[in-house]
C-alpha cells in the first residue's frame, strides 16, 4: 500500500471503528454518570438498578424540567416505571465500595428481593413520600450526594398505553416508552432535586473547587470481565475570556429597546455584561417582567439585587 493510501486509511491519525450495539462503550470512550434508579415493584418495595444512560432532556423553555433514561424494556426498572410512573435518580459518589455495589445491582435477571437482600445502601423516604404519606413512592439512597425525584411523562410520544409484556412487537415509539424490540426510553419530569447540605451550599452560596462532590466517571462494560470508572479529582476552573463578554454599550442598547416603559440605569446594565449575548434578551425580558409585576419603572442596582434574590429563591425551591 502506498504512503498516500495509508494516510487515507488512517484518516490523519484516526482509524475508522466499526459501530456495533452499545456503541457508547463498545465502539468508543464515553464518559457517563453513575446512578441508582429507584422504582417500586408490585409489592411496593424499592428496587435499585444501576444506570449510566441517564441525561438531561428538557433544560429550559418548558414548564417543567426532565431527564431521559435509556434501558432494557425487560428490566425491573422499565417494568416498574411502566406500572407506576415513578422513580428516583440517585447519584452516588466515587467510593470503591459504592461502585462495586453499583456493578452488582446492575447485573440483569435478579428479582427485587434477590438483589436488594444484601444491598449496602440505606433507603429512606424522600420529599414526596414525606409530603404524601398515603401514597407510595420509591425510597431514596441516603448515601447519594444528590437525588432527582421524578415522574414519567407517559403522554409524550403517545406512550400512555404502554404496558409490561413478555415480547414487544412493532410499531415502536420514537423517543418515549417502548422504543425497540429490546429497548425503552423514559422522559422523566423532575419533581424535586434533593442535595446534601455541603453541596447545596456550594451551588447557592458560591461555587468553589473544594465544594464539588466526588463524582465518578463511568466508562461502562468494556472487556467482558470488568466495569471501568475513574475516581474524582479536584476540579479546575478556567475563567471565561474577557473577549467573550459583551460591552456596556451593547447592554444599554438592548435594554433601551426591550420595553418602552421600563428603563435601566448604567449601573444596572453593568451587572449584565457577563451574560452571554445569546441569552441577553431573555434576561432583560425577565427583568422587565419583574419590574412590571412590582410596578417599578427604573431598574437600578438595587432592583437587580432584588431580581437576583428572587431568582435564587426560586432555584432553591425547585
Amino acid at each position: 500500500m502506498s504512503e498516500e493510501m495509508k494516510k487515507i486509511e488512517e484518516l490523519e491519525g484516526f482509524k475508522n471503528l466499526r459501530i456495533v450495539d452499545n456503541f457508547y462503550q463498545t465502539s468508543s470512550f464515553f464518559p457517563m454518570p453513575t446512578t441508582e434508579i429507584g422504582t417500586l415493584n408490585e409489592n411496593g418495595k424499592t428496587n435499585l438498578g444501576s444506570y449510566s444512560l441517564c441525561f438531561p432532556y428538557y433544560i429550559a423553555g418548558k414548564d417543567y424540567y426532565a431527564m431521559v433514561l435509556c434501558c432494557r424494556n425487560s428490566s425491573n426498572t422499565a417494568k416498574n416505571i411502566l406500572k407506576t410512573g415513578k422513580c428516583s435518580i440517585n447519584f452516588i459518589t466515587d467510593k470503591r465500595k459504592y461502585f462495586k455495589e453499583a456493578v452488582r445491582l446492575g447485573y440483569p435477571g435478579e428479582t427485587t428481593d434477590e438483589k436488594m437482600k444484601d444491598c449496602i445502601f440505606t433507603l429512606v423516604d424522600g420529599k414526596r413520600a414525606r409530603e404524601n404519606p398515603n401514597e407510595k413512592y420509591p425510597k431514596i439512597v441516603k448515601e447519594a450526594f444528590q437525588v432527582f425525584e421524578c415522574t414519567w411523562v407517559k403522554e409524550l410520544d403517545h406512550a400512555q398505553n404502554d404496558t409490561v409484556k413478555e415480547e414487544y412487537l412493532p410499531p415502536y415509539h420514537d423517543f418515549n416508552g417502548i422504543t425497540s424490540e429490546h429497548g425503552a426510553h423514559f422522559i422523566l419530569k423532575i419533581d424535586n432535586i434533593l442535595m446534601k447540605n455541603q453541596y447545596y451550599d456550594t451551588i447557592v452560596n458560591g461555587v468553589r473547587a473544594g465544594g464539588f462532590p466526588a463524582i465518578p466517571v463511568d466508562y461502562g462494560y468494556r472487556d467482558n470481565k470488568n466495569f471501568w470508572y475513574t475516581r474524582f479529582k479536584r476540579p479546575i476552573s478556567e475563567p471565561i475570556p474577557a473577549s467573550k463578554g459583551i460591552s456596556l454599550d451593547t447592554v444599554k442598547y438592548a435594554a433601551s429597546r426591550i420595553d418602552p416603559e421600563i428603563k435601566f440605569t448604567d449601573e444596572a446594565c453593568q451587572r449584565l455584561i457577563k451574560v452571554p449575548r445569546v441569552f441577553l434578551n431573555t434576561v432583560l425580558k425577565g427583568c422587565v417582567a419583574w419590574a412590571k409585576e412590582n410596578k417599578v419603572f427604573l431598574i437600578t442596582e438595587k432592583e437587580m439585587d432584588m431580581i437576583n434574590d428572587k431568582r435564587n429563591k426560586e432555584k432553591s425551591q425547585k
Side-chain angles (χ1 to χ4, degrees):
M1 183 182 294
S2 69
E3 287 299 318
E4 184 177 350
M5 289 299 294
K6 284 183 179 179
K7 285 184 179 180
I8 294 174
E9 179 75 11
E10 293 178 1
L11 299 173
E12 299 299 328
F14 293 93
K15 287 190 175 181
N16 187 37
L17 189 63
R18 186 166 65 95
I19 304 174
V20 298
D21 286 354
N22 296 325
F23 68 89
Y24 61 93
Q25 54 188 5
T26 55
S27 303
S28 65
F29 295 94
F30 195 80
M32 300 176 290
T34 304
T35 71
E36 295 301 321
I37 306 296
T39 56
L40 288 173
N41 74 354
E42 61 276 8
N43 298 319
K45 186 172 182 178
T46 296
N47 177 89
L48 292 181
S50 302
Y51 286 90
S52 287
L53 295 180
C54 188
F55 307 101
Y57 192 76
Y58 288 145
I59 63 169
K62 302 282 287 187
D63 58 357
Y64 62 93
Y65 304 101
M67 301 286 286
V68 58
L69 171 68
C70 311
C71 59
R72 290 179 297 105
N73 56 33
S74 60
S75 67
N76 292 327
T77 298
K79 291 176 180 178
N80 292 343
I81 292 177
L82 286 171
K83 291 175 182 176
T84 71
K86 305 170 185 174
C87 75
S88 63
I89 306 175
N90 305 270
F91 294 79
I92 61 175
T93 60
D94 69 352
K95 288 185 178 180
R96 188 68 182 268
K97 66 177 182 179
Y98 292 169
F99 194 79
K100 183 177 182 179
E101 181 71 342
V103 172
R104 186 186 74 83
L105 291 171
Y107 195 81
E110 293 184 323
T111 66
T112 297
D113 287 336
E114 289 171 336
K115 70 159 53 180
M116 298 303 294
K117 179 182 177 182
D118 299 314
C119 180
I120 70 169
F121 294 123
T122 307
L123 297 179
V124 296
D125 285 338
K127 186 172 185 289
R128 290 195 297 176
R130 294 172 191 274
E131 292 177 343
N132 304 280
N134 295 324
E135 192 169 348
K136 292 286 290 183
Y137 291 94
K139 291 184 180 293
I140 67 173
V141 174
K142 186 177 180 180
E143 293 81 2
F145 65 86
Q146 73 179 8
V147 180
F148 294 176
E149 293 189 301
C150 298
T151 302
W152 177 36
V153 191
K154 58 186 178 181
E155 295 79 14
L156 287 176
D157 206 12
H158 306 291
Q160 64 269 16
N161 296 321
D162 284 3
T163 57
V164 175
K165 297 179 181 179
E166 288 296 320
E167 181 181 14
Y168 293 99
L169 301 175
Y172 304 112
H173 298 295
D174 291 323
F175 62 88
N176 192 35
I178 304 301
T179 50
S180 69
E181 181 182 0
H182 302 294
H185 290 70
F186 296 104
I187 308 304
L188 304 171
K189 175 188 175 185
I190 302 174
D191 298 303
N192 298 304
I193 293 181
L194 310 179
M195 186 82 61
K196 287 290 178 65
N197 286 338
Q198 63 266 42
Y199 310 124
Y200 175 94
D201 289 341
T202 295
I203 290 177
V204 173
N205 298 322
V207 177
R208 50 188 176 79
F212 279 75
I215 303 175
V217 175
D218 180 14
Y219 290 101
Y221 184 58
R222 181 166 299 281
D223 56 9
N224 297 323
K225 295 188 296 183
N226 303 294
F227 276 82
W228 292 82
Y229 84 111
T230 59
R231 301 289 296 272
F232 175 78
K233 292 185 178 180
R234 187 179 178 87
I236 301 170
S237 63
E238 182 62 36
I240 297 171
S243 61
K244 298 297 183 182
I246 51 180
S247 69
L248 177 59
D249 286 342
T250 299
V251 177
K252 288 168 60 178
Y253 180 86
S256 68
R257 285 158 175 74
I258 202 72
D259 188 278
E261 296 180 348
I262 310 299
K263 305 300 180 185
F264 291 75
T265 66
D266 288 357
E267 291 75 17
C269 291
Q270 182 70 34
R271 302 284 286 274
L272 300 176
I273 62 173
K274 291 187 178 181
V275 173
R277 187 185 299 268
V278 68
F279 300 130
L280 181 58
N281 271 3
T282 300
V283 172
L284 287 170
K285 286 178 181 177
C287 293
V288 167
W290 177 91
K292 290 188 172 182
E293 181 181 338
N294 291 275
K295 296 180 172 54
V296 171
F297 298 95
L298 179 65
I299 297 178
T300 69
E301 282 189 293
K302 176 185 174 182
E303 283 71 31
M304 292 299 291
D305 286 336
M306 295 169 69
I307 292 169
N308 286 334
D309 287 344
K310 178 177 181 290
R311 181 173 178 271
N312 289 335
K313 286 179 182 177
E314 288 174 346
K315 282 173 62 178
S316 67
Q317 291 170 359
K318 288 180 179 180

